[in-house]
């Protein structure tokens, strides 16, 4: 699968994007600092972050982007899934926006289609403990400037 890019954004395959994102540097709100992944992972004491296998490439608002799901933990029992949207220029990925998806949710799919990002996941229902999500949902996000907005949940 290849993605056409604007003149400053060369063609990149999904496999190439995944490989490049494994050494991503980005700012994390959960871990309160700059994170540099090495082979898709970051550790600092009990805190950690890791790139999941859920990566998609596509076009949003005329821009070539990648979307990726990361897991972040500050060292406690929580494992937060974070959706990052990134752009690539001169071989380097830069974070455009991010959205927290939840604590201990189970990601099922990530897609970019028609200027939207959709994430299908299993999250906690109203009576579920954090450990044991059972509610399957699809969140659809749009990108407004440097903010991800949840447009719908079904």
């Amino acid at each position: 699968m290849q993605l056409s890019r604007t003149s400053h954004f060369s063609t990149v395959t999904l496999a190439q994007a995944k490989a490049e994102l494994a050494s991503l540097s980005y700012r994390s709100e959960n871990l309160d600092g700059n994170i540099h992944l090495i082979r898709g992972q970051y550790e600092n004491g009990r805190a950690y972050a890791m790139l999941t296998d859920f990566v998609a490439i596509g076009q949003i608002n005329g821009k070539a982007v990648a979307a990726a799901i990361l897991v972040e933990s500050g060292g406690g029992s929580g494992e937060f899934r974070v959706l990052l949207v990134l752009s690539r220029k001169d071989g380097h990925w830069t974070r455009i926006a991010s959205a927290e998806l939840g604590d201990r949710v189970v990601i099922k799919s990530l897609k970019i289609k028609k200027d939207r990002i959709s994430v299908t996941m299993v999250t906690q229902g109203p009576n579920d403990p954090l450990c044991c999500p059972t509610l399957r949902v699809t969140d659809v996000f749009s990108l407004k400037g440097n903010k991800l907005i949840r447009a719908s949940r079904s």
Side-chain angles (χ1 to χ4, degrees):
M1 173 182 197
Q2 287 198 335
L3 176 66
S4 297
R5 306 286 189 201
T6 57
S7 61
H8 69 277
F9 203 76
S10 64
T11 300
V12 64
T13 64
L14 181 59
Q16 182 182 3
K18 285 182 178 182
E20 291 174 357
L21 291 173
S23 61
L24 176 68
S25 292
Y26 71 100
R27 175 109 180 117
S28 168
E29 285 84 23
N30 286 327
L31 302 180
D32 198 27
N34 293 318
I35 305 302
H36 179 72
L37 299 178
I38 299 172
R39 291 186 296 279
Q41 298 184 358
Y42 163 86
E43 286 187 50
N44 184 3
R46 293 182 54 202
Y48 63 88
M50 63 184 164
L51 178 66
T52 70
D53 289 333
F54 293 98
V55 174
I57 55 176
Q59 295 273 337
I60 298 179
N61 304 335
K63 280 186 175 181
V65 299
I69 307 284
L70 285 91
V71 176
E72 297 180 340
S73 175
S77 62
E79 283 194 341
F80 299 91
R81 275 33 174 205
V82 178
L83 170 62
L84 290 182
V85 178
L86 308 118
S87 65
R88 182 176 182 262
K89 186 174 181 181
D90 300 327
H92 298 285
W93 292 93
T94 303
R95 178 183 142 191
I96 299 171
S98 64
E100 192 164 309
L101 300 173
D103 181 8
R104 292 173 261 186
V105 299
V106 179
I107 306 298
K108 296 296 186 179
S109 71
L110 172 66
K111 297 176 186 173
I112 299 174
K113 188 175 180 180
K114 296 182 181 178
D115 289 329
R116 303 285 174 117
I117 300 168
S118 66
V119 180
T120 300
M121 62 186 158
V122 180
T123 189
Q124 294 82 8
N127 299 315
D128 291 343
L130 284 174
C131 70
C132 310
T134 62
L135 180 63
R136 188 178 181 98
V137 299
T138 299
D139 284 351
V140 177
F141 294 89
S142 61
L143 184 63
K144 304 284 186 203
N146 64 349
K147 299 222 183 277
L148 274 174
I149 308 297
R150 186 169 69 187
S152 68
R153 173 173 268 190
S154 57

